[in-house]
Amino acid sequence: MPPLILASTSRYRQELLTRLRLPFEAVAPEVDETPLAGEVPAALAERLALAKARAVASLHPHAVVIGSDQVADLDGEPLGKPGSHEAARAQLQRMSGREVVFQTAVAVVAPGLAAIERAEVRVRLRPLSDREIETYLLADQPYDCAGSAKVESLGIALLDAVVSDDPTALIGLPLIRTCQLLRRAGLEPLA
């Protein structure tokens, strides 16, 4: 079996990939994540997922490399990781009572293969008071999450609905699509 590498330092993606019970190594992809001028969120997620996988595959040419990226899309505008309490508060205030589409792309690069899939997750936030936002941010500190909310934690209390055909996509790695791509690369999680 060729080595499996996750081109990511995200603990969320690493935790998700462990569910497949395949041995893997995580390697930082060293990719500039700055959006291109006029780049829409779905295209940004796909470009970055493939760039991450290719960057690590160039260093490990015999490996199967997974790259993934997620971009929160609010009316066509990409929302990244807030990085600070103030930025997270501003994001959640903008998203309050609205639908946000999370575009999560996964790419697999292996000898003879470079493939990408994207999962779309529609999230409807309930109307949030400033007090609720502040309480949530102090409790969960989601400053490293696109859209400023951890659905796998207390962030679920911010939501009215989540709609997706690949539920782990919201956490950052769409495992259904990842399995499909791994099979194309010759790795079967159930083997």
Side-chain angles (χ1 to χ4, degrees):
M1 184 170 85
L4 178 62
I5 300 175
L6 177 63
S8 177
T9 56
S10 163
R11 68 179 188 264
Y12 308 110
R13 288 190 180 104
Q14 290 176 34
E15 288 170 7
L16 286 170
L17 189 55
T18 62
R19 293 183 188 183
L20 300 184
R21 299 182 182 185
L22 294 169
F24 71 93
E25 175 186 357
V27 175
E30 305 299 330
V31 169
D32 179 3
E33 297 190 27
T34 306
L36 302 175
E39 191 170 33
V40 298
L44 174 60
E46 289 180 0
R47 178 178 62 82
L48 291 178
L50 191 55
K52 291 173 182 180
R54 283 185 169 150
V56 171
S58 71
L59 303 172
H60 303 273
H62 301 292
V64 174
V65 181
I66 301 168
S68 187
D69 197 75
Q70 181 180 74
V71 180
D73 177 345
L74 182 63
D75 298 329
E77 177 190 341
L79 300 178
K81 298 172 185 170
S84 72
H85 187 88
E86 296 73 25
R89 180 188 312 118
Q91 276 190 358
L92 289 173
Q93 287 171 334
R94 286 185 61 209
M95 294 166 27
S96 175
R98 301 181 65 197
E99 182 178 86
V100 180
V101 180
F102 286 81
Q103 305 285 353
T104 306
V106 59
V108 169
V109 174
L113 177 69
I116 190 162
E117 293 284 339
R118 184 171 46 84
E120 188 175 281
V121 181
R122 296 188 169 279
V123 175
R124 191 174 62 247
L125 279 80
R126 60 185 191 76
L128 303 168
S129 70
D130 287 343
R131 182 190 57 77
E132 289 172 314
I133 290 171
E134 193 66 21
T135 298
Y136 169 69
L137 291 176
L138 291 173
D140 241 3
Q141 300 180 2
Y143 312 130
D144 62 345
C145 298
S148 303
K150 294 181 185 178
V151 71
E152 69 276 19
S153 186
L154 185 58
I156 198 74
L158 305 173
L159 309 181
D160 270 340
V162 175
V163 178
S164 176
D165 65 353
D166 202 336
T168 58
L170 188 53
I171 303 171
L173 184 63
L175 287 180
I176 293 171
R177 286 173 177 75
T178 299
C179 287
Q180 292 167 347
L181 292 173
L182 289 175
R183 285 185 197 101
R184 289 179 59 189
L187 291 180
E188 172 54 64
L190 295 175

